[in-house]
Amino acid sequence: MMREAAPAAEGAVLLLHGGAEHGLRRPSRLNPPARRMRPFARALRHPRLVVAEARYRHRGWNGERADPARDAAAALSALRKRDGGLPTVLVGHSMGARAALRIAAEPGVAGVVALAPWCPPEDPVEHLAGGRLVVVHATADRITSPQESLLTAVRAREAGAQVCRFVVAGGDHAMLRHAGLWHGLTTAAVHGLLGLRPLLPEAVSAFALPPGSTDGLEVRAVAGAGA
C-alpha cells in the first residue's frame, strides 16, 4: 500500500483501483488499472490528508470470494492502525468502487466516492444506511452500466444513505475524457466529506433529500466543478 506522508493529517483517503470480473492471477507490475488512479492521488494532495492505495492479491472479483473487498478491508484496517484511526474516504473506480461500497460500513469510513462503479443489482445496500455516497458516472460508459449505478444510488437512498450522483456527459470508463472534471469532482468530494473544505453545493442539496426521493439525486457535472 503506497502512502503519502501528512504529519498534520486530519483525514485519509484510500484509493481502490479497478480490475476484472474473474482472475486469480496477481496483478502485473505495470497494472494499468492502478496507474489510472495515480493522477487522482496527485490531485488529492493536501497538507492535512493521508493518501493511500490498496493493493490486491488477485486481478478479479471472483464471485462470492469478493477478493478485492477483502483486500480493501485489510488495507483500511492497516491504514487506521498506522494513522491512529483517522476518518477515511474510500475512492474506488469500477471494481474498486464495488469493493468500496461493500466495506462502506467499516469503522472510520467517512464516505465513499464511486467512480464509474460496477454495481450489480444483486449487491446489498442496507449496510449503507447512515453513510454518505458520491457517485460519478459517464453516460457513454460501455464497461460498467450507468443505469445500474443509478439504480444502486436510488436503492442506497431508500436504505437511508445520503447520496449524490454526478453525470458526466459522454466521457468514457477510463476517465481520460474530461480528466480534469473527474479529478476536480473527486477532490472536492473527498475534501468535503472529510471537512477539509465545504461540501459541493450539489452534494449538500442531494444529501438533504428525504429517503426514497429521487428529485435532485442526479447532477450534471460541468467544467469547473469542484474548482
Side-chain angles (χ1 to χ4, degrees):
M1 182 168 59
M2 178 188 72
R3 296 187 55 214
E4 295 186 10
E10 298 177 13
V13 56
L14 180 62
L15 299 174
L16 303 164
H17 65 75
E21 184 175 359
H22 305 289
L24 293 174
R25 295 178 61 185
R26 294 187 64 85
S28 67
R29 287 187 177 181
L30 292 178
N31 199 357
R35 293 172 65 89
R36 191 170 291 135
M37 299 304 290
R38 301 296 164 77
F40 288 89
R42 290 192 291 270
L44 284 163
R45 285 176 180 163
H46 189 284
R48 290 181 287 160
L49 182 64
V50 172
V51 180
E53 178 185 352
R55 293 177 179 171
Y56 306 141
R57 294 166 296 167
H58 308 290
R59 291 183 177 182
W61 183 268
N62 302 318
E64 293 183 358
R65 289 174 53 125
D67 288 316
R70 295 174 183 270
D71 294 340
L76 176 63
S77 177
L79 178 63
R80 286 179 55 76
K81 286 179 181 178
R82 279 198 291 266
D83 294 313
L86 292 172
T88 302
V89 172
L90 308 175
V91 175
H93 173 242
S94 193
M95 183 186 74
R98 186 181 184 185
L101 290 169
R102 185 64 65 92
I103 69 165
E106 291 288 321
V109 175
V112 172
V113 179
L115 308 173
W118 176 20
C119 295
E122 68 271 16
D123 276 8
V125 296
E126 291 75 15
H127 65 290
L128 299 175
R132 296 191 293 177
L133 168 62
V134 176
V135 179
V136 188
H137 216 146
T139 58
D141 194 325
R142 297 294 179 263
I143 305 298
T144 56
S145 169
Q147 291 73 29
E148 289 184 352
S149 78
L150 174 59
L151 175 61
T152 294
V154 171
R155 292 172 58 224
R157 168 71 57 72
E158 292 173 345
Q162 295 179 318
V163 186
C164 182
R165 184 173 183 272
F166 288 93
V167 178
V168 179
D172 63 340
H173 184 71
M175 306 176 295
L176 297 176
R177 298 176 191 165
H178 314 300
L181 180 57
W182 287 92
H183 301 159
L185 277 174
T186 300
T187 299
V190 168
H191 290 177
L193 289 168
L194 289 171
L196 301 178
R197 61 188 281 187
L199 275 169
L200 289 165
E202 298 90 343
V204 172
S205 298
F207 285 173
L209 292 171
S213 174
T214 57
D215 293 335
L217 171 64
E218 283 196 299
V219 180
R220 179 169 179 171
V222 296

